[in-house]
């Protein structure tokens, strides 16, 4: 046995679980109990055919609803729990189990229920919330079309107001306008919230949402065509489908009219004058979907890491020392390098998710609901969703490979985790599109509605008005001056501060973000000055746009981790921090340094890292891995994943 | 429409296909025809249950055998094609289609047939080859055990020679020694080639292979226990199983006795005296499996890239210019960055695969079969397999995401590609283990059998004897001196040569390899001098070991591409190169520079890249992407993937 890391401290697993669960421990424990009760769904996902599994997932959705776990986000008066933060926490925890069930719950209560709740008014709430909260009424969220996924403003479905009958007439114009990939549509939904271009008196008022019956007593409603989207890579317990509407008539009251309405005699009215702003206000209310998916992805990654970590402390392969015994996988330096930075990043994202969930709760509970707060929430939700879902894809893949051939067997969970979570990087907003929205928020200082302005508009806006402001605003200007004064010979940080100085780590990721942002603004302006075509300019800087957004979100993630650490009480009378604080500190260092390491080329290119220090960071990461190694099992146990959710009988023992 | 890249040259698709197919155009076309004939297997993989699909795959295997495509590697006298290179080319091409069928073919003809051919002698050839070539006799390759996958030398199954009966008695000692993940075992194999520790007269002679009947007339043979390995992430048309042997007796002649034999009265004899060398000579004959998987993975990546590229020139999303039309995905800079370097790397790996296939053919045809050639082949096969399979995993994932939600539908191929190819990074040698073998070969200058020496032995060998030699041998020593003379102020390359100078690109990747190798040797020596425990030393440098191997293989890949370009004739009378040579030149530059870019931190850390030049490389990559963009569809069409293999009716049109 080789283990040159002395166990520097003990982790109190139970206390760490309590810390991670936070204020939502109760609802999380309810979900854990429900997951264990229905653990057989993991096998059923493999054994049942698609039709039977879809029915099973529907059945379970209704059963979960009866326990209260899925209705936390709805007002109490309609049978909900009245706590949006708890509803996200419940969803996150549900991601430890079968992800078809997770997504079915997300479609029914998050997308469909959320649209009724946030876009509708009392008449819709009274009519639909009680039954949808129990799962008696199933519905779907029909936004995406075959021709338009990310660019929702360009949807092709049209809803024309007919004054004579006081009805909306909904029509799909061409196959590109068919609703596509719609969860719950192929089989179970009775109602659809349909997003369509509203036309009133010959005038287009932009995209609005309507409640449209698509099934009546189990039969497809007249004028509606439904097609099954067919087998998918994963999530086959969710019945995705396509919808066409051929002059389908719904009453005037079917318009979800919180932000706009049509009077009986055909006058369009809205408290929000600007059409773009109105549209993005509507979309913005749906931000909880992104917060949910991001949190779910992070927890799916935890399942993979828990299995791979437990396997790595059981599995031996090859002799490495002279004692004749084979060495544990997790005692290999490379294996530590593969798993432990991912473990650290998972913790970091967990705390970042706490922040975005809290912001969501504050905004939607009215605790802090102003324009600026909403835009910042939307940007943070988009960024956390993008990084969290990519992290899940990468982590699940690395963990599968780290479990070798055993990782390929379905019983060991990776098959489902990988296939089911794959689309998380795409749905609820394609990650690349989301990061562009994040960058736009930074460039415009959230001056506009979050999703307003396509890249064309963004380029014009930034170059036309904002670039000087951005350059002025980013304090990078001052930082650069300071660096210039100090170079050559490194700067203060390089010479004096240790790599494990939290302020050093924060300064590095802050500098990167600000420098990238100012550079992007300059490139946009220069490009437009020289070429004139904003499309070409944008295309040329697009990788820079994505990099800025990533840098921004990683800064937020590190700050979330550091802030969390600062809230932890200092140690006992002996002056030593407790084991959990020590362990989290190691993880925070590991996350910060591996984040810097993976972009160390950029830091060197921009004068923030000397060659010597860059190499020192890589060495320090190896040191940190060795220190985290003896704590690794406790750290994955602290996530409180019910053991039945791990399956993997031969891997986790 | 925005496209600021003028189409610099025309690609002659047909001529490029001919160039890529090379000397194996005929067999590749036969496979293409067979793939189209049996295209329905792609749907059957989804629609049939596991049992039915396994039978279907078996049936197709036999049908393919009848066309001659699967038997190319066997001697003509037994019904084969007598051309090992052609057998690999056929296998590679088959990877355009369903990968269960590919792996079934690989198990039957590559692993099982290959073991009979290469480890057996005439008696085994006469008895088994004719029927296994037609698929009438199905077999499996029972090497891996639950407890030992990568470390084959430590297998737990034992074959004891019983002189009285002149039989071997084969026994599974404990569940860790059960044969696991064995393809063809759960359902179809009649015979197994079983790897077991041979014991003769109380003495262990190491791992040897035996032909063992596991089914007789469809029933499990006495003393054998067979268990289905169950559902897997993918490849569910292959019946993987587990095997236990309880005192199973096989005649003395069941030993595959090309490299060692036991006389009737129980004397062990072998022409190879050293037991380790004997073992690795046996394993070495199986190198064709790695060459096959690497080639198959590269072609699976081509299918993904072909779909994503074709989609990206049809799909529009968001307005980017002022003309009111949405922009094609492939005209976005980020989308080019996502797909086109992968396209370039796929071409590079294709040519690297050509080299390793040619070497395999030469060694196994006896054209050039010496010890050094075998060891270099084994290292190259391991390295190409590792990089090729990781490339497939990464490329398929990126292409799925680049196709958005549509990429998630099974009809669009990514579901199967992703699930089926996932285990390629693990089977036929775990990629990390393979790269360690590559590094060992470099450190020891192939002084030992390729797979001999575990890390313990390697550390001792290198540090004990070889480190000075390695440091001396690597001309990095001289390079370093030269760099030292020239710095500060950059060196000759940096100051004078252009980024598109092929010699510059080659010098960069050669420098990296040599410098890393010398550094690794020094770290090993220093570690052992200081600490003494080779296991700890190895664990600390393991990431360095992997990096050296990657750098080595990437150098080989670039050299293969450059060598290929140099064989192409110059252009016509007008002095211009033809379009294909121009296109391949762009791809080679894009591959070389994106390889350097992705490791640019290392180059900066080691004084080979200035900050300015590093940024210039990133800009040049963007330029190259814009130049390749108008050629992209032609470049994927040149792979000659039968259109039925792409499916994706809504994506590729």
């Amino acid at each position: 046995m080789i283990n040159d890391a002395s166990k520097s401290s003990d982790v109190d697993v139970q206390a760490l679980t309590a810390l991670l669960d936070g204020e939502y421990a109760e609802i999380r424990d309810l979900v854990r109990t429900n997951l264990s009760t229905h653990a057989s769904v993991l096998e059923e996902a493999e054994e049942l055919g698609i039709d039977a599994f879809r029915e099973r997932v529907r059945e379970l959705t209704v059963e979960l609803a009866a326990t209260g776990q899925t209705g936390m986000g709805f007002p109490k008066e309609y049978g909900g729990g009245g706590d949006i933060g708890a509803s996200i926490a419940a969803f996150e925890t549900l991601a430890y189990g079968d992800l078809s069930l997770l997504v079915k719950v997300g479609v029914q209560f998050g997308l469909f229920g959320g649209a009724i709740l946030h876009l509708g008014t009392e008449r819709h709430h009274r009519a639909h919330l009680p039954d949808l909260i129990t799962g008696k009424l199933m519905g779907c969220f029909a936004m995406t079309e075959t021709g338009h996924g990310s660019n929702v403003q360009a949807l092709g479905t049209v809803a024309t107001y007919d004054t004579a009958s006081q009805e909306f007439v909904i029509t799909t114009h061409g196959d590109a306008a068919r609703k596509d990939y719609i969860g719950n549509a192929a089989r179970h939904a009775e109602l659809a919230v349909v997003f369509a271009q509203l036309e009133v008196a010959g005038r287009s008022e932009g995209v609005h949402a309507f409640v449209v019956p698509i099934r009546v007593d189990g039969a497809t409603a007249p004028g509606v065509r439904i097609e099954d989207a067919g087998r998918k890579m994963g999530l086959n317990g969710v019945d995705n489908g396509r919808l066409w509407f051929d002059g389908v008539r719904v009453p005037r009251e079917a318009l979800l009219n919180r932000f706009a309405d049509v009077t009986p005699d055909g006058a369009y009215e809205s408290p929000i004058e600007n059409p773009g702003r109105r549209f993005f206000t509507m979309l913005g209310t749906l931000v909880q979907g992104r917060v949910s998916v991001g949190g779910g992805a992070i927890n799916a990654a935890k399942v993979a890491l828990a299995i791979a970590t437990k396997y790595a402390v059981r599995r031996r392969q090859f002799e490495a020392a002279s004692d004749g015994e084979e060495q544990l996988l997790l005692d290999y330096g490379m294996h530590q390098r593969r798993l432990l930075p991912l473990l650290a990043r998972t913790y970091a994202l967990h705390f970042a998710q706490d922040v975005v969930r809290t912001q969501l709760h504050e905004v939607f509970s009215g605790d802090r609901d102003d324009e600026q707060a909403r835009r910042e929430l939307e940007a943070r939700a988009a960024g956390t969703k993008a990084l969290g879902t990519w992290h899940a894809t990468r982590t699940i893949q690395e963990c599968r490979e780290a479990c070798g051939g055993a990782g390929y067997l379905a019983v060991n969970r990776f098959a489902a985790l990988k296939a089911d979570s794959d689309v998380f990087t795409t749905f609820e907003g394609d990650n690349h599109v989301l990061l562009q929205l994040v960058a736009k928020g930074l460039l415009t200082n959230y001056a506009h509605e979050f999703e307003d302005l396509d890249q064309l508009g963004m380029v014009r806006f930034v170059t036309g008005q904002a670039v000087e402001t951005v350059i002025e605003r980013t304090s990078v200007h001052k930082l650069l001056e300071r660096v210039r004064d100090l170079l050559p010979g490194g700067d203060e940080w390089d010479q004096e501060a240790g790599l494990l100085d939290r302020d050093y780590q924060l300064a590095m990721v802050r500098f990167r973000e600000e420098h990238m942002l100012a550079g992007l603004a300059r490139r946009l302006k220069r490009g437009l000055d020289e070429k004139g075509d904003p499309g070409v300019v944008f295309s040329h800087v697009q990788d820079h746009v994505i990099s800025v957004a990533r840098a921004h979100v990683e800064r937020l993630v590190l700050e979330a981790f550091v802030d969390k650490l600062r809230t932890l009480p200092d140690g006992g009378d002996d002056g030593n921090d407790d084991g959990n604080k020590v362990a989290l500190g190691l993880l925070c260092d590991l996350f910060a340094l591996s984040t810097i390491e993976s972009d160390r080329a950029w830091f060197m290119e921009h004068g923030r890292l000397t060659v010597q220090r860059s190499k020192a960071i890589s060495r320090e990461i190896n040191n940190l891995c060795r220190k985290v190694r003896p704590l690794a099992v406790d750290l994955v146990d602290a996530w409180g994943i019910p053991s039945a959710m791990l399956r993997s009988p031969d891997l986790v023992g």
Side-chain angles (χ1 to χ4, degrees), chain A:
Chain A
M1 226 323 276
I2 293 171
N3 181 357
D4 61 334
S6 56
K7 188 160 173 174
S8 51
S9 62
D10 287 316
V11 172
D12 179 341
V13 174
Q14 213 176 340
L16 187 52
T17 302
L19 178 84
L20 293 168
D21 282 359
E23 59 191 309
Y24 299 116
E26 192 181 345
I27 185 76
R28 290 190 199 272
D29 279 339
L30 170 64
V31 177
R32 288 184 177 108
T33 301
N34 289 343
L35 284 169
S36 298
T37 303
H38 302 296
S40 64
V41 68
L42 297 174
E43 283 90 56
E44 288 157 358
E46 293 161 19
E47 289 158 11
L48 297 177
I50 284 192
D51 289 343
F53 187 52
R54 285 172 170 182
E55 294 310 316
R56 177 69 180 134
V57 168
R58 178 205 177 120
E59 187 182 293
L60 280 173
T61 302
V62 175
E63 288 187 39
L64 292 183
T67 72
Q69 81 164 63
T70 61
M72 292 305 296
F74 297 101
K76 287 186 176 173
E77 57 191 294
Y78 298 111
D83 185 337
I84 187 153
S87 86
I88 305 293
F91 187 88
E92 291 164 5
T93 311
L94 190 60
Y96 288 157
D98 177 74
L99 298 179
S100 283
L101 182 56
L102 180 84
V103 171
K104 187 82 168 181
V105 163
V107 166
Q108 166 70 13
F109 305 102
L111 292 176
F112 171 60
I116 298 288
L117 177 64
H118 296 302
L119 300 180
T121 51
E122 201 192 344
R123 67 177 186 236
H124 306 104
H125 297 171
R126 266 187 287 112
H128 305 307
L129 287 185
D131 280 353
L132 79 82
I133 291 172
T134 62
K136 185 178 167 218
L137 170 68
M138 288 267 169
C140 65
F141 182 83
M143 177 185 275
T144 296
E145 296 175 356
T146 305
H148 287 96
S150 296
N151 189 6
V152 175
Q153 267 185 306
L155 290 178
T157 303
V158 175
T160 309
Y161 185 65
D162 174 23
T163 310
S165 62
Q166 296 189 16
E167 290 173 326
F168 295 103
V169 185
I170 298 178
T171 303
T172 303
H173 290 286
D175 259 5
R178 71 182 184 193
K179 297 296 175 183
D180 209 347
Y181 319 110
I182 309 301
N184 246 354
R187 201 56 79 89
H188 295 143
E190 289 180 64
L191 293 186
V193 172
V194 177
F195 289 80
Q197 305 287 353
L198 170 61
E199 288 190 359
V200 185
R203 185 184 141 100
S204 179
E205 302 291 353
V207 173
H208 291 67
F210 305 83
V211 180
V212 183
I214 59 170
R215 285 186 179 83
V216 180
D217 298 331
T220 303
V224 177
R225 179 150 72 93
I226 304 179
E227 188 178 279
D228 200 313
R231 185 179 287 273
K232 306 183 298 289
M233 183 182 293
L235 301 179
N236 280 304
V238 182
D239 52 316
N240 294 76
R242 304 186 177 111
L243 300 171
W244 290 257
F245 302 94
D246 182 12
V248 173
R249 290 181 167 265
V250 292
R252 190 184 65 89
E253 293 77 12
L255 173 65
L256 292 173
N257 61 332
R258 178 167 164 199
F259 297 109
D261 210 346
V262 176
T263 63
D265 55 352
Y268 178 81
E269 46 193 38
S270 168
I272 306 174
E273 282 196 22
N274 181 295
R277 190 165 162 210
R278 189 186 311 136
F279 173 67
F280 289 109
T281 303
M282 290 186 202
L283 277 200
T285 58
L286 307 172
V287 63
Q288 68 178 41
R290 287 179 186 158
V291 176
S292 300
V293 169
I298 294 162
N299 275 8
K302 289 179 189 169
V303 176
L305 270 169
I307 297 167
T309 302
K310 286 165 179 283
Y311 181 63
V313 298
R314 294 186 75 216
R315 175 75 170 183
R316 296 175 181 277
Q317 205 69 223
F318 291 114
E319 278 180 57
S322 321
D323 58 6
E325 193 176 27
E326 290 183 295
Q327 177 163 300
L328 289 172
L329 294 188
L330 203 55
D331 286 323
Y332 284 102
M334 189 69 205
H335 216 79
Q336 293 172 7
R337 266 279 186 173
R338 291 169 74 181
L339 296 185
L340 301 182
L342 294 176
L343 176 64
R345 192 174 176 90
T346 304
Y347 265 83
L349 286 164
H350 175 103
F351 294 122
Q353 174 70 13
D354 280 349
V355 173
V356 72
R357 187 195 329 99
T358 301
Q359 287 188 359
L360 178 80
H361 185 81
E362 287 172 356
V363 165
F364 279 77
S365 307
D367 294 349
R368 188 188 160 227
D369 186 10
D370 54 63
E371 281 294 314
Q372 184 78 4
R374 281 200 175 242
R375 288 173 197 167
E376 284 181 21
L377 165 64
E378 286 160 18
R380 188 182 280 264
T384 309
K385 186 270 182 185
L387 264 62
T389 55
W390 270 327
H391 175 69
T393 297
R394 178 179 155 212
T395 300
I396 292 165
Q397 183 64 35
E398 191 66 54
C399 290
R400 197 299 287 160
E401 293 183 32
C403 291
Y408 198 61
L409 300 182
V411 71
N412 295 331
R413 279 294 259 135
F414 296 105
L417 280 172
K418 186 170 156 166
D420 292 340
S421 70
D422 177 85
V423 78
F424 288 14
T425 56
T426 297
F427 70 15
E428 295 295 314
D430 173 89
N431 282 0
H432 281 100
V433 174
L434 291 181
L435 288 185
Q436 290 178 52
L437 296 176
V438 170
K440 196 202 63 189
L442 294 171
L443 282 166
T444 61
N445 202 21
Y446 307 102
H448 280 243
E449 299 307 322
F450 180 57
E451 305 207 28
D452 201 359
L453 298 183
D454 54 14
Q455 52 267 45
L456 175 58
M458 178 169 92
V459 174
R460 285 193 182 135
F461 179 80
V462 171
T463 53
Q465 312 162 42
V467 64
E468 296 304 335
T469 325
V470 169
I471 294 167
E472 190 56 36
R473 180 163 51 83
T474 52
S475 51
V476 71
H477 213 63
K478 277 166 284 172
L479 287 174
L480 277 176
E481 287 304 324
R482 203 176 132 217
V483 172
R484 209 169 293 134
D485 290 342
L486 292 165
L487 285 176
D491 56 56
E492 282 176 26
W493 292 329
D494 269 12
Q495 292 181 332
E496 292 170 25
L499 297 176
L500 304 182
D501 180 335
R502 219 48 31 91
D503 288 330
Y504 166 74
Q505 298 162 358
L506 286 167
M508 286 290 275
V509 298
R510 286 172 180 155
F511 172 85
R512 179 178 60 160
E513 176 187 350
E514 291 174 357
H515 192 287
M516 281 184 171
L517 182 59
L520 174 60
R522 280 198 206 86
R523 283 187 68 191
L524 284 168
K525 181 169 165 56
R526 191 168 56 232
L528 214 74
D529 289 347
E530 288 170 9
K531 292 205 174 194
D533 188 324
V536 173
V537 172
F538 180 79
S539 181
H540 282 206
V541 301
Q542 200 181 10
D543 55 338
H544 199 146
V545 169
I546 300 291
S547 297
V548 167
R550 272 185 197 271
H552 169 71
V553 185
E554 283 191 331
R555 191 257 297 171
L556 294 181
V557 175
L558 179 59
E559 285 181 349
F561 205 154
V562 171
D563 288 347
K564 186 74 192 181
L565 273 175
R566 287 182 179 152
T567 66
L568 299 183
D570 288 331
D573 296 338
D574 58 1
N576 294 323
D577 284 334
D578 73 9
N580 288 357
K581 189 167 185 179
V582 171
L584 291 175
L586 289 172
L587 289 175
C588 187
D589 287 334
L590 183 52
F591 168 67
L593 293 186
S594 52
T595 297
I596 294 168
E597 185 194 45
S598 65
D599 212 8
R600 67 195 199 281
W602 187 92
F603 285 106
M604 285 189 275
E605 285 169 356
H606 296 83
R608 296 307 314 158
L609 205 54
T610 62
V611 164
Q612 289 71 26
R613 197 163 175 85
S614 176
K615 291 179 181 173
I617 285 176
S618 294
R619 281 194 303 274
E620 185 59 43
I621 290 171
N622 287 343
N623 283 336
L624 287 166
C625 282
R626 286 193 286 276
K627 287 179 184 164
V628 170
R629 186 261 173 261
L631 313 175
V633 172
D634 285 348
L635 290 170
V636 301
D637 281 343
W639 293 326
I641 305 168
S643 60
M645 296 302 102
L646 300 180
R647 301 182 72 189
S648 313
D650 293 335
L651 269 55
V652 305

